[in-house]
Amino acid sequence: MMIDLAGRSALVTGGSRGIGRAIALRLAAQGADVAFSYRGNEAAASSCTAEIEALGRRGLALQADVRDPASAAALVTTAIEAFGKLDILVNNAGITRDDLIMRMSLEEWREVLETNLSGAFFATKAVMRPMLRARYGRIVNMTSVAGIAGNAGQANYSSAKAGLIGLTKATAREVASRGITVNAVAPGFVVTELTETLPENIKQQILDATPLGRFATPEEIAAAVAFLVSEDAAYITGHVLTVDGGLVMQ
């Protein structure tokens, strides 16, 4: 299946590293111009922009903190000014602050909820009017199997990712009549800087629980996103696509 995103423009939050970077590069490879936000790593952002441009597309790195509504709105405004429109929004920005509930600080709770859930709400709110006027849009929220099954030591992260599923379905119902689809991708364990630091015994436990017996690559997650923002997925909305090797079967 050849996905054609020629003439489309996209915004990926948290797009300079890991899964977000893979998504930004995949959308560019399929023909879209791509803006992405990053928090502080200018070197990673610059190299991602260069890779997008090497694919023949326009790339735009925007420093922003999605926890701030004004910053999230400015992301959308700047992307539209640069590209003339915004067809695709991927809410990927996210952090972890893991601890058991009895030890989790209020700051660890709030920071994860504000970044992972409120940040997606702010960006979605900002893109609503332009997409409604255009009568077209593709929104993908990056949730997690932790938001479906829960994960010990991640009450904040699991709650935020579960909240993203609710946000996905509510938004999908609100905007479907205007030709806008809203879906979520729920990765399992993915080979990133974060999972590379896991102790070997924990990695083995995950592999034992995953029917396909391996972690995903960021590119495999990006492929699912590319499908959901394509015309081939025009009749899919309000759906949560698990890309987890069978770890969580519903």
Side-chain angles (χ1 to χ4, degrees):
M1 179 178 65
M2 178 58 189
I3 293 170
D4 183 9
L5 299 178
R8 299 297 182 193
S9 56
L11 171 63
V12 181
T13 66
S16 65
R17 294 186 296 171
I19 293 171
R21 185 188 187 106
I23 293 168
L25 294 177
R26 177 61 184 256
L27 298 184
Q30 305 291 172
D33 294 322
V34 182
F36 63 91
S37 72
Y38 69 100
R39 237 166 117 172
N41 193 327
E42 288 188 22
S46 295
S47 68
C48 186
T49 303
E51 285 193 58
I52 291 169
E53 291 173 348
L55 291 165
R57 308 314 311 161
R58 288 180 289 175
L60 181 63
L62 302 168
Q63 188 166 17
D65 186 344
V66 296
R67 294 176 301 176
D68 174 35
S71 185
L75 270 178
V76 172
T77 301
T78 306
I80 291 173
E81 286 173 353
F83 299 147
K85 60 174 183 167
L86 192 58
D87 304 297
I88 298 163
L89 170 65
V90 182
N91 285 309
N92 171 75
I95 60 170
T96 56
R97 298 288 185 269
D98 298 350
D99 213 336
L100 297 174
I101 289 173
M102 63 184 293
R103 290 202 297 259
M104 186 176 289
S105 69
L106 288 179
E107 181 58 30
E108 287 169 333
W109 170 263
R110 287 174 179 148
E111 192 175 3
V112 171
L113 267 290
E114 287 170 6
T115 302
N116 298 19
L117 180 55
S118 295
F121 168 73
F122 297 145
T124 299
K125 186 175 174 65
V127 85
M128 276 292 95
R129 278 194 174 86
M131 284 189 177
L132 288 169
R133 278 197 298 268
R135 289 185 170 270
Y136 181 88
R138 296 284 186 267
I139 300 172
V140 176
N141 295 319
M142 301 305 296
T143 180
S144 167
V145 293
I148 298 169
N151 203 21
Q154 288 193 316
N156 47 7
Y157 185 79
S158 297
S159 297
K161 294 300 189 180
L164 271 177
I165 292 172
L167 177 64
T168 298
K169 296 185 177 187
T171 311
R173 290 185 182 276
E174 288 188 18
V175 300
S177 65
R178 294 296 187 96
I180 302 166
T181 66
V182 189
N183 293 290
V185 172
F189 287 87
V190 184
V191 179
T192 63
E193 292 173 22
L194 188 65
T195 55
E196 283 298 295
T197 62
L198 289 172
E200 286 304 317
N201 64 315
I202 299 297
K203 285 185 186 178
Q204 193 57 51
Q205 287 175 20
I206 295 165
L207 293 175
D208 291 343
T210 303
L212 286 183
R214 63 175 179 85
F215 284 18
T217 66
E219 290 73 23
E220 287 173 315
I221 308 304
V225 175
F227 166 66
L228 288 173
V229 303
S230 74
E231 291 309 301
D232 292 312
Y235 201 61
I236 300 172
T237 197
H239 184 68
V240 181
L241 176 58
T242 53
V243 187
D244 64 353
L247 180 63
V248 177
M249 294 195 190
Q250 290 181 291

